[in-house]
Amino acid sequence: MTHIVQPDALGITAAVEALRTGSVIGFPTETVYGLAADITNETALRNIFTVKHRPTDHPLIVHVADATQFAALATDVLPAAHALAEMCWPGPLTIIVRAGAQVNKIITGGRDTVAIRLPAHPVALAVIKQLGSPVAAPSANHFGRVSPTTAQHVLADLGDAVALVLDGGPCAIGVESTIVDCTLEQPQILRPGSITSDEIRHVLDRVGVNLAPGITGSSRAPGMLEHHYAPLARLILHEIDEIFDAAGTPILDCSVDPVQAAHSLYAQLRAFDEEGHQLVHVVLPVRRGMGFALRDRLSKAAARR
Ligand code: TXA
Ligand code: MG
């Protein structure tokens, strides 16, 4: 039976042992919980796709513990990627770079690029360091469903398919990392997150590079489907100044404190489902700071299936 494990020395060792034998584990990061596999173990990498019911052409993010591990996975790294790594890591930023020849194609879905992130979470870092190898880790939920932000969410979603779940408490940020494609002359944000476009622009300025305008996704980042992050309840989205009649259905107001709203978003959506709500009204945050990431996840969660 799968256990939720405290992330003390014993717990970390048990997690690393499980990874060494090709199992997948749940572990906390500052964004959401990840489903981790040792990148040197092909069986474990394949396991991720089986456990998540994820199509194999949806590439994985590799989580590293230091700059040396980053350098070993990447090739032809442009100054923009170096600058972002230096300024934003450890942190909720995923950087896409050219993949070195040694990067397993299971991770990249056959692409010549790889997504890499150095998380700001002591438990994730301890696991990677003790394993001595980076781990591939998508969010620890079934494909297309709401990401987990507690160990209990991981267990509820994936159950015995994971060897164990390290419990780091609720994730501080609550939405997935910002993804920036740094293989382009003008880097581009593929997925908004808590590191904002203003912060990224600021870093890129230092190396004289422009950020491509807008936030894209669907073309180069498979996995960024129209519907994603989806609860069972239907969400109806409202702008802040819109007047609507909720008629007894719950209202999720994300406009007042978007950072707090992000922190509790996925737990809230799960709670609405558990309570059996068919319909939830959502007040959107304005397009500023965390507002972009929240609007992105909410519009995907609201898309018709
Ligand atoms: O915060 C996060 O990023 C969390 C935690 C666990 O670190 N992870 C996460 O992973 O959100 P996942 O697999 O749920 O989302 C990864 C996204 C996918 O949309 C995938 O398409 C994109 O990253 N991605 C990965 N490699 C890529 C590549 N080489 N080019 C373009 N997109 C890529
Ligand atoms: Mg995911």
Side-chain angles (χ1 to χ4, degrees), residues 1-3 155 158-163:
M1 212 185 76
T2 297
H3 293 290
L155 200 59
L158 306 179
D160 285 344
V162 289

Side-chain angles (χ1 to χ4, degrees), residues 39 42-43 45 51 60 92 100-101 200 208 226 265:
I39 61 161
E42 257 193 50
T43 311
L45 289 175
V51 168
L60 305 172
I200 288 165
E226 266 300 292
L265 176 70

Side-chain angles (χ1 to χ4, degrees), residues 164-176:
L164 58 84
V165 186
L166 285 169
D167 191 353
C171 299
I173 293 171
V175 294
E176 303 80 355

Side-chain angles (χ1 to χ4, degrees), residues 181-245:
D181 185 346
C182 289
T183 63
L184 311 162
E185 200 179 317
Q186 288 199 346
Q188 181 145 45
I189 297 181
L190 302 187
R191 181 174 73 183
S194 71
I195 294 193
T196 64
S197 52
D198 282 347
E199 290 173 86
I200 288 165
R201 223 173 271 120
H202 188 75
V203 174
L204 295 182
D205 268 354
R206 299 159 61 116
V207 284
V209 171
N210 290 323
L211 181 65
I215 292 168
T216 180
S218 46
S219 57
R220 272 194 322 282
M224 293 179 196
L225 308 171
E226 266 300 292
H227 65 267
H228 210 122
Y229 315 103
L232 302 173
R234 198 172 143 225
L235 305 185
I236 303 190
L237 308 184
H238 303 278
E239 292 298 338
I240 197 161
D241 51 3
E242 211 177 300
I243 294 165
F244 62 93
D245 179 6

